[in-house]
Amino acid sequence: MANDSYLNVLGVWKSFDGHPVLRGIDLEVPAHSATVLIGASGSGKSTLLRCVNGLEAVDAGSVTIDGELEVTDFNTDLDAVRRRVGIVFQSYNLFPHMKVLDNITLGPVKVLKRNVRQARDQAMELLKRFGLDSKAQDYPDRLSGGQAQRVAIVRALAMEPEIMLFDEITSALDPMLVGEVLDSVRELRDSGMTIVMATHEMNFAREVADTVCFLNNGIVWEQGAPEELFGNPKQAETRNFLSRVR
Amino acid sequence: MVFKDPMRQEQSRKKARRDALIGMASLITFVIVCVVLVTNSSGWSTFQETFFNGDQFVESFPTLLQAFWLNVRIFLIAEPIILILGLLVALARTLRAPVFLPLRMIATLYVDVFRGVPTILVIFLLGFGMPALQLQGVPSDAIFWGTAALVLSYGAYVAEVFRAGIGSVHPSQTMAARSLGLSSFQTNRYVVLPQAIRNVMPPLLNDFISLQKDTALVAVLGPIEVLRRAQIDTSSNFNYTPYVGAALIFIALTIPMTRFADWVQRRTAKKRRAGGVA
Ligand SMILES: Nc1ncnc2c1ncn2[C@@H]1O[C@H](COP(=O)(O)OP(=O)(O)OP(=O)(O)O)[C@@H](O)[C@H]1O
Ligand SMILES: [Mg+2]
């Protein structure tokens, strides 16, 4: 196995109520690369991402971060994992009782024990980078979906993660607002962040992905560079799926 | 830009004025008819003499107010303790780690017992029972045990209110907080509880209005609070005006509180609607 890969998923199985969702997933994500997960609804993309940051416990197999941190080991402190792994969800899940700025500084102040001043400065810098600095003092209910999702991205970034997981972050958005959120992801990717992203945006996948993985029935059915997978899919299931989403 | 047709505005102002006038006229007529009917009925003078006796009222009201101060003190002491107890019990019931099993069981048992037993029974039990033990170091003060009984009884209700509040915060909020590396304690403290408490403010205030009234239950143990005072005054003069006086005192306190609770309810509902998806 390649040791230069940042995230290693090996033979991961996961079932809910006796219904298998992941059936032996293998995945290697090199540092500073973007991996895009595609697949039909229910194929296990969200579940896989949630296993990577320990929100779900696996039934079998292992998830290793940076060749050293075993997410799947019972003795691992999952809070330590989550400090290094950022995740953004389809429903932004901002904290509605906190201003945008406080949403962002909560993690750095309480978890990383930064002082408030420093955390705020850093948050403002991030907000500026994503064109959101004018929203710092607003409550989440004043934001558009696109702005809310970008704040959620900033909130995850404020923890200075080494890898970012995105779970269909544009699916709840008005089509008009998808672009601004994808721009943020593109920006991150260009800055060298390691990214794993589940999405239904095939054009975006083709553009930013280093590797595209097609999940089918809880298995990585086919993977490859985007030109290859989209241009010349080898498996019938992949062709079938692609013909349905296009 | 806002555009309003001046004609329509004038018409709607006129209509509002007319509606207000009609309402007022209707109300005045109604009150006059009631007053005439009631005061002309045969039993009115005895009724008035028994419940609304002016001399009796003037005589008893100051002593009633004085006695009511004890109700206020019981309330002010009980309320914060109830809040803390209720919150702790509700939190104990959310603990999932196996070491906390005894704690969780005690909390559940406590709520089951004290929600099931009438408050007045708890007051009898503690207020008469505990002093009867005559144990060293156990206070025999009726006010102490009466207040303790209210705390235990209302603590169980409030614990359930808080538990419902915690349940009303969507699990995705917890998921988001844990994803940021916050511990389970921090997630409760900074994310779940603030939203839970905001969501249950209206029922919580209702419980407090109820507690304000139930301070009168302590009367059964003997302390001279407002109800006991009214009872004494009533029996010495064979006139029921002091009871009406005591009722007025309670109303004077609960009506503003009810209005406040309504206002909080509306505000909470608005906030929740607005904050829906975020
Ligand atoms: N916590 C859970 N409890 C029970 N079943 C679950 C749970 N989470 C996911 N599932 C089930 O697992 C299956 C895979 O879900 P998952 O969300 O991983 O799919 P997905 O590929 O992300 O789909 P989508 O494109 O709709 O988001 C679904 O059938 C879902 O109902
Ligand atoms: Mg999903």
Side-chain angles (χ1 to χ4, degrees), chain A residues 13-219:
Chain A
W13 285 74
K14 174 75 185 174
S15 65
F16 293 107
D17 316 317
H19 169 73
V21 173
L22 303 181
R23 301 186 303 150
I25 293 266
D26 293 323
L27 187 69
E28 281 183 26
V29 178
H32 314 297
S33 77
T35 299
V36 171
L37 308 176
I38 60 172
S41 185
S43 57
K45 304 180 294 292
S46 300
T47 308
L48 173 57
L49 291 176
R50 293 154 56 91
C51 287
V52 170
N53 82 340
L55 279 176
E56 298 287 0
V58 303
D59 296 337
S62 71
V63 175
T64 314
I65 286 172
D66 207 10
E68 45 150 16
L69 189 58
E70 290 260 3
V71 180
T72 39
D73 185 334
F74 279 108
N75 298 316
T76 299
D77 173 15
L78 289 177
D79 293 338
V81 170
R82 293 173 189 144
R83 262 171 254 150
R84 301 173 64 174
V85 180
I87 187 165
V88 182
F89 305 96
Q90 175 177 340
S91 53
Y92 340 117
N93 300 347
L94 296 180
F95 307 130
H97 60 299
M98 293 180 184
K99 288 178 178 172
V100 164
L101 192 61
D102 299 326
N103 260 277
I104 297 166
T105 55
L106 182 69
V109 170
K110 301 300 174 193
V111 178
L112 304 179
K113 309 292 179 201
R114 296 263 166 79
N115 78 45
V116 177
R117 183 80 154 279
Q118 194 188 345
R120 283 176 173 243
D121 288 348
Q122 181 222 14
M124 284 310 297
E125 227 161 84
L126 279 170
L127 284 171
K128 207 169 283 168
R129 179 170 152 204
F130 289 90
L132 290 160
D133 40 330
S134 63
K135 303 291 172 192
Q137 297 300 330
D138 283 348
Y139 280 93
D141 60 1
R142 306 297 303 270
L143 304 178
S144 74
Q147 290 165 343
Q149 194 57 294
R150 278 148 61 213
V151 170
I153 294 174
V154 168
R155 182 173 69 176
L157 287 177
M159 294 296 289
E160 294 175 354
E162 298 158 10
I163 181 170
M164 283 287 279
L165 312 176
F166 294 110
D167 190 3
E168 292 191 28
I169 57 173
T170 56
S171 294
L173 295 179
D174 206 88
M176 298 280 293
L177 303 174
V178 168
E180 61 185 74
V181 172
L182 292 183
D183 283 345
S184 304
V185 177
R186 194 178 286 122
E187 215 259 272
L188 266 185
R189 189 224 171 294
D190 293 344
S191 73
M193 176 64 77
T194 309
I195 290 175
V196 183
M197 176 176 192
T199 188
H200 288 301
E201 300 284 338
M202 295 303 152
N203 289 332
F204 185 71
R206 185 194 294 260
E207 175 202 332
V208 302
D210 295 296
T211 309
V212 180
C213 293
F214 171 59
L215 262 65
N216 188 27
N217 275 325
I219 289 173

